[in-house]
């Protein structure tokens, strides 16, 4: 006989962990010290991440919404996670999908907006409806729900993380933290198995792929490296099968209506699920043309998804290289995400790492379980010394300096939360402000990186070039969200911004950033040297001309002509494309102006120290060093 569970109305709200997935979502909590995924009244733990909007504006979430997708494809939003933080013109939002999209109104941010029955819905709003359904499911089980930890792909950028956090708040959740999905999986796996060692988490979900190398040691979960693709997953397998169905039926794109596309995608997913257990799959054709029965052999399916698996392999090999490890050095490979149930995926992972992957914990549930454990600890209900999570930045963060060059302040794979600072100066006389341009990526030039934010620090008193000092500090919190502080040290002027981009990266943009950095490494370094040389050449020419105008009487006979020739040669080199030539001409100008610069410094010191005390003289000497602008310190200049 089953026992009734007695509910205490005075019990404190229970913290929850949420896996907000592309295909399915789950919610879990800690019961008697162990994580437990909450099931609905049909004993189903997976809530399909599907939302149907009816004619009255109501939202239906889950399997009931899934059932409406074929007949109402434009009113049923599927895989919305792939649109989180994306721009309205992002190609990911246009790939083999039946949706109608609304352009941004004047003054609105360029984010994805679904046009549903005249409503303009953003991915944040759709995700909030999914989170509300999960919250309601938890309240049905726990009566009172406390703060939440929501998981995100490790490769989500700032915009995608902010969008997820906003969706949680819109759903009425107190979001304690965003937790990277591979770290959550390792947390659940490590605490459940009580194992230490170095593990690789291979996380292939419905719409995102992450690979993370972690060291689990005495309760410390340290991320050694991370990689992946924020637009790669089981959905791409469905699309590959759908394209095969369209090819076999010879149905051109202009005849693929939204209803047909939705029906073919659903059929493709059903065939994929069958092939997890069978060597061949079949389903009725939804097309009305071609064969009435669709059949697909596992061998053909494996061929279709082979390019997808190879893309995951590229990220895995790079993550292992970043961690300084080979496959044999791993203690295990943990499979996470529903797409890892596909036999070809497991075979590929085994071949890639040279060992059988670990999949004895449900790959669909393990992320939610880890999130529940972390929520339990952060809410103070566990022992905080039980576990320490150390995540890392997936991409470098920096600012633009003179010549369009990126100065990296926080390199990728830096453990978070973290902070770092750097000091910069002006490049023009009487410059009264700094333009701060924050960028993300691995390339050397700003044009090849992702722009995150721009702002201006104004009100700096006019000074000679190189005299002002700007201190820029980057701080990244435990959620991986960046804030920037800029302070001019001589005046104390300060500005602080939390970097909130209006939309996220393009399809494969993060992956492309890293691959481009590898493919164009030498080329980028040469471009950087050229840009930096041109900036230095411009500074030296201005400083030299300023010195000639101010102290012409100190010139030796014939010296002006010699210096003028060196300046002309440097300007000619700076207009070219050879960094080596610019450096050579900078050295020539340095040599030509050295004696003149020394006479200027001596004259300035003699004039300033006449009749002064020794301590005052020392300060004057330090200040006089600034006169020798041709030999000034190498503080980077910001516009």
């Amino acid at each position: 006989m089953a026992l009734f569970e007695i509910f205490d109305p005075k019990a404190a709200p229970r913290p929850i962990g949420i896996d907000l997935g592309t295909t399915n979502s789950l919610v879990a909590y800690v019961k008697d010290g162990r994580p437990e995924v909450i099931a609905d009244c049909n004993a189903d733990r997976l809530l399909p991440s599907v939302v149907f909007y009816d004619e009255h504006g109501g939202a239906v979430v889950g399997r009931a919404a899934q059932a409406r997708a074929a007949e109402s494809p434009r009113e049923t939003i599927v895989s919305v996670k792939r649109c989180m933080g994306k721009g309205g013109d992002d190609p990911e939002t246009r790939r083999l999908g039946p949706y109608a999209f609304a352009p941004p109104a004047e003054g609105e941010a360029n984010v994805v907006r679904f046009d549903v029955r005249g409503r303009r819905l953003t991915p944040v709003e759709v995700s909030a409806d999914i989170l509300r359904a999960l919250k309601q499911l938890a309240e049905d089980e726990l009566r009172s729900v406390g703060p939440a930890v929501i998981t995100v792909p490790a490769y989500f950028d700032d915009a995608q993380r902010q969008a997820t956090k906003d969706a949680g708040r819109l759903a009425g959740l107190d979001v304690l933290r965003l937790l990277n999905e591979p770290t959550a999986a390792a947390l659940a796996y490590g605490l459940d198995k009580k194992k230490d060692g170095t593990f690789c988490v291979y996380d292939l979900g419905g719409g995102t792929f992450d690979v993370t190398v972690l060291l689990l040691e005495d309760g410390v979960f340290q991320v050694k490296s991370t990689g992946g693709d924020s637009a790669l997953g089981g959905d791409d397998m469905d699309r590959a099968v759908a394209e095969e169905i369209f090819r076999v039926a010879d149905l051109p794109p202009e005849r693929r209506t939204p209803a047909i596309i939705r029906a073919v995608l659903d059929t493709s997913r059903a065939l994929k699920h069958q092939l997890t257990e069978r060597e061949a799959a079949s389903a009725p054709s939804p097309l009305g043309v071609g064969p009435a029965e669709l059949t697909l052999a596992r061998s053909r399916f494996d061929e279709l998804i082979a390019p997808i698996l190879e893309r995951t392999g590229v990220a895995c090999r790079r993550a292992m290289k970043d961690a300084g490890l080979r496959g044999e050095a791993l203690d295990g490979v943990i499979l996470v995400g529903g797409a890892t149930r596909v036999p070809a995926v497991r075979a590929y992972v085994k071949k890639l790492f040279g060992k059988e992957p670990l999949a004895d914990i449900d790959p669909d549930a393990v992320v939610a379980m880890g999130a529940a454990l972390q929520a339990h600890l952060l809410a103070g209900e566990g022992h905080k010394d039980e576990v320490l999570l150390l995540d890392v930045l997936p991409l470098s963060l920096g600012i633009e300096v003179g010549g369009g060059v990126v100065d990296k302040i926080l390199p990728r794979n830096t453990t978070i939360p973290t902070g770092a600072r750097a000091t910069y100066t002006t490049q023009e006389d009487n410059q009264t402000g700094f333009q701060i341009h924050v960028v993300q990526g691995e390339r050397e030039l700003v044009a090849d990186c992702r722009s995150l934010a721009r702002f201006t620090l104004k009100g700096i008193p006019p000074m000679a070039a190189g005299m002002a000092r700007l201190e820029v500090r980057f701080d990244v919190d435990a959620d991986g969200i960046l804030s920037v502080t800029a302070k001019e040290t001589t005046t104390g002027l300060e500005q602080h911004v939390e970097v909130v981009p209006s939309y996220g990266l393009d399809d494969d943009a993060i992956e492309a950033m890293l691959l481009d950095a590898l493919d164009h490494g030498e080329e980028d370094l040469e471009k950087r040297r050229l840009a930096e040389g041109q900036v230095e050449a411009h500074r030296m020419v201005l400083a030299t001309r300023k010195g000639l105008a101010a102290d012409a009487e100190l010139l030796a006979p014939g010296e002006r002509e010699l210096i003028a020739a060196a300046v002309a040669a440097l300007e000619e080199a700076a207009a070219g494309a050879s960094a080596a030539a610019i450096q050579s001409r900078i050295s020539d100008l340095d040599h030509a102006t050295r004696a003149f610069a020394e006479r200027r410094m001596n004259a300035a010191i003699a004039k300033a120290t006449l009749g002064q005390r020794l301590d005052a003289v020392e300060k004057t000497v330090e200040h006089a060093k600034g006169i020798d602008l041709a030999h000034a310190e190498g503080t980077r200049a910001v516009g």
Side-chain angles (χ1 to χ4, degrees):
M1 182 177 67
L3 296 177
F4 288 104
E5 185 172 339
I6 299 174
F7 166 62
D8 180 3
K10 296 182 179 179
R14 305 284 289 275
I16 57 174
I18 292 176
D19 175 10
L20 182 61
T22 305
T23 307
N24 296 296
S25 296
L26 304 91
V27 58
Y29 72 108
V30 173
K31 180 179 181 181
D32 299 328
R34 297 182 64 83
E36 183 171 305
V37 178
I38 298 174
D40 62 16
C41 57
N42 296 315
D44 198 340
R45 302 191 301 175
L46 299 178
L47 177 76
S49 301
V50 182
V51 185
F52 167 74
Y53 292 94
D54 62 27
E55 60 273 18
H56 306 296
V60 179
V61 182
R63 300 204 179 279
Q66 208 171 39
R68 307 291 292 271
E71 64 183 53
S72 303
R74 286 189 167 170
E75 291 76 34
T76 309
I77 310 299
V78 179
S79 299
V80 71
K81 184 175 178 177
R82 299 192 74 153
C83 299
M84 290 288 275
K86 296 293 181 80
D89 52 0
D90 193 295
E92 171 65 21
T93 65
R94 303 296 194 266
R95 288 180 59 197
L96 200 61
Y99 310 120
F101 296 95
E106 186 175 351
E108 284 185 331
N110 182 28
V111 300
V112 175
R113 286 179 172 80
F114 300 102
D115 187 350
V116 181
R117 303 185 190 276
R119 296 176 62 189
R120 302 166 70 251
L121 295 168
T122 66
V124 169
E125 294 171 290
V126 179
S127 296
D129 284 326
I130 298 171
L131 290 170
R132 284 191 192 96
L134 291 169
K135 182 185 177 187
Q136 184 61 54
L137 185 63
E139 287 175 341
D140 292 344
E141 174 78 14
L142 306 174
R143 304 299 191 274
S144 181
V145 170
V149 168
I150 301 177
T151 61
V152 292
Y155 246 41
F156 258 23
D157 74 335
D158 287 318
Q160 292 164 309
R161 290 171 188 269
Q162 286 281 3
T164 304
K165 211 166 188 179
D166 290 343
R169 286 193 287 260
L170 190 60
L173 292 166
D174 175 14
V175 182
L176 272 175
R177 180 176 173 182
L178 301 180
L179 182 64
N180 285 346
E181 290 167 3
T183 310
L187 179 61
Y189 186 90
L191 290 186
D192 182 72
K193 298 298 181 182
K194 305 297 181 186
K195 286 185 178 180
D196 284 349
T198 303
F199 292 83
C200 179
V201 180
Y202 182 100
D203 183 357
L204 186 62
T208 59
F209 171 67
D210 284 316
V211 56
T212 298
V213 180
L214 305 102
L215 174 64
L216 283 62
E217 190 172 39
D218 297 329
V220 177
F221 288 65
Q222 182 178 6
V223 177
K224 306 299 289 184
S225 66
T226 190
D229 192 324
S230 62
L232 179 68
D235 284 356
D236 296 282
M237 298 180 186
D238 300 341
R239 288 169 175 169
V241 174
E243 289 291 1
E244 176 77 352
I245 293 173
F246 285 133
R247 185 189 66 80
V248 170
D250 195 24
L251 190 69
E254 59 270 18
R255 292 179 58 192
R256 302 174 190 177
T257 66
I260 288 176
I261 292 173
R262 180 75 270 153
V264 170
L265 284 172
D266 290 343
T267 300
S268 300
R269 180 167 297 176
L271 292 170
K272 178 184 69 177
H273 290 169
Q274 288 183 47
L275 290 172
T276 300
E277 304 293 338
R278 306 176 190 172
E279 291 297 324
S282 62
S285 173
L287 294 177
V289 294
E293 185 83 358
L294 298 173
T295 59
L296 183 65
R298 182 185 285 179
S299 58
R300 178 56 182 158
F301 176 69
D302 292 350
E303 291 175 3
L304 294 173
I305 67 172
I308 298 170
L309 300 185
E310 184 51 41
R311 284 172 64 187
T312 71
V314 172
C316 290
R317 286 187 286 269
R318 189 183 62 248
M320 291 294 290
K321 182 179 178 181
D322 288 345
L325 297 172
R326 294 183 178 273
E328 59 268 21
L330 292 173
D331 293 290
V333 180
I334 302 171
L335 294 183
V336 180
T340 62
R341 297 182 186 276
V342 173
V345 174
R346 299 194 174 192
Y348 182 82
V349 172
K350 180 180 179 180
K351 180 180 177 182
L352 182 66
F353 292 100
K355 58 186 62 191
E356 197 72 41
L358 304 170
D360 47 336
I361 298 181
D362 184 353
D364 282 315
V366 66
V367 169
M369 292 165 64
L373 286 166
Q374 181 67 354
H376 185 70
L377 293 171
L378 291 178
E381 298 193 10
H383 298 292
K384 296 213 173 185
D385 58 353
E386 281 184 28
V387 62
L388 175 64
L389 298 182
L390 301 175
D391 270 327
V392 296
L393 287 174
L395 289 171
S396 299
L397 296 164
I399 71 167
E400 178 179 358
V401 294
V405 170
V406 178
D407 189 41
K408 295 182 176 70
I409 296 178
L410 286 172
R412 70 187 178 99
N413 285 328
T414 298
T415 300
I416 60 172
T418 187
R421 66 184 63 185
T423 302
Y424 304 91
T425 189
T426 50
Q427 61 184 9
E428 302 286 349
D429 287 340
N430 302 319
Q431 188 173 320
T432 59
F434 287 94
Q435 290 279 350
I436 312 298
H437 183 197
V438 183
V439 297
Q440 181 181 42
E442 304 310 312
R443 301 289 292 274
E444 298 294 332
L445 299 184
V446 169
D448 299 317
C449 290
R450 154 94 158 113
S451 176
L452 291 183
R454 295 176 185 264
F455 64 97
T456 303
L457 186 64
K458 299 179 180 179
I460 299 168
M463 305 181 200
M467 298 303 292
R469 289 293 181 270
L470 176 72
E471 183 181 275
V472 177
R473 180 171 180 84
F474 280 15
D475 290 289
V476 179
D477 64 18
D479 295 329
I481 296 173
L482 170 68
S483 61
V484 180
T485 301
K487 180 179 181 180
E488 204 290 307
T489 56
T490 61
T491 62
L493 288 172
E494 182 173 319
Q495 186 170 347
H496 175 84
V497 296
E498 186 170 284
V499 178
V500 185
S502 60
Y503 56 89
L505 298 171
D506 295 339
D507 278 357
D508 310 323
I510 297 179
E511 180 73 12
M513 284 180 176
L514 294 175
L515 293 178
D516 285 348
L518 294 174
D519 294 341
H520 303 285
E522 290 297 324
E523 176 188 339
D524 284 354
L525 286 174
E526 183 59 28
K527 288 180 179 178
R528 183 186 185 105
R529 284 192 288 266
L530 176 62
E532 290 177 336
Q534 289 170 334
V535 170
E536 179 65 8
H538 175 70
R539 185 191 68 79
M540 286 193 68
V541 168
L542 288 180
T544 301
R545 286 176 172 159
K546 183 179 177 181
L548 291 173
D551 296 306
E553 69 279 2
L554 297 178
L555 287 166
E559 197 170 32
R560 179 183 289 276
E561 291 75 16
L562 180 65
I563 293 174
V567 166
L570 177 55
E571 288 183 314
E572 182 180 353
S578 172
I582 295 174
Q583 289 304 318
S584 177
R585 297 298 175 263
I586 286 175
S587 296
D588 291 345
L589 181 57
D590 178 70
H591 180 74
T593 59
R594 187 174 299 277
F596 175 54
E598 289 176 355
R599 290 194 295 274
R600 291 188 69 214
M601 180 179 290
N602 292 337
I605 292 173
K607 180 180 178 181
T609 60
L610 185 64
Q612 292 192 28
R613 291 163 50 89
L614 180 60
D615 57 348
V617 171
E618 290 175 344
K619 292 182 180 179
T620 303
V621 170
E622 288 298 317
H623 177 72
K625 289 179 180 178
I627 293 176
D628 186 10
L629 293 178
H631 308 90
E633 61 186 76
T635 307
R636 293 191 179 276
V638 181

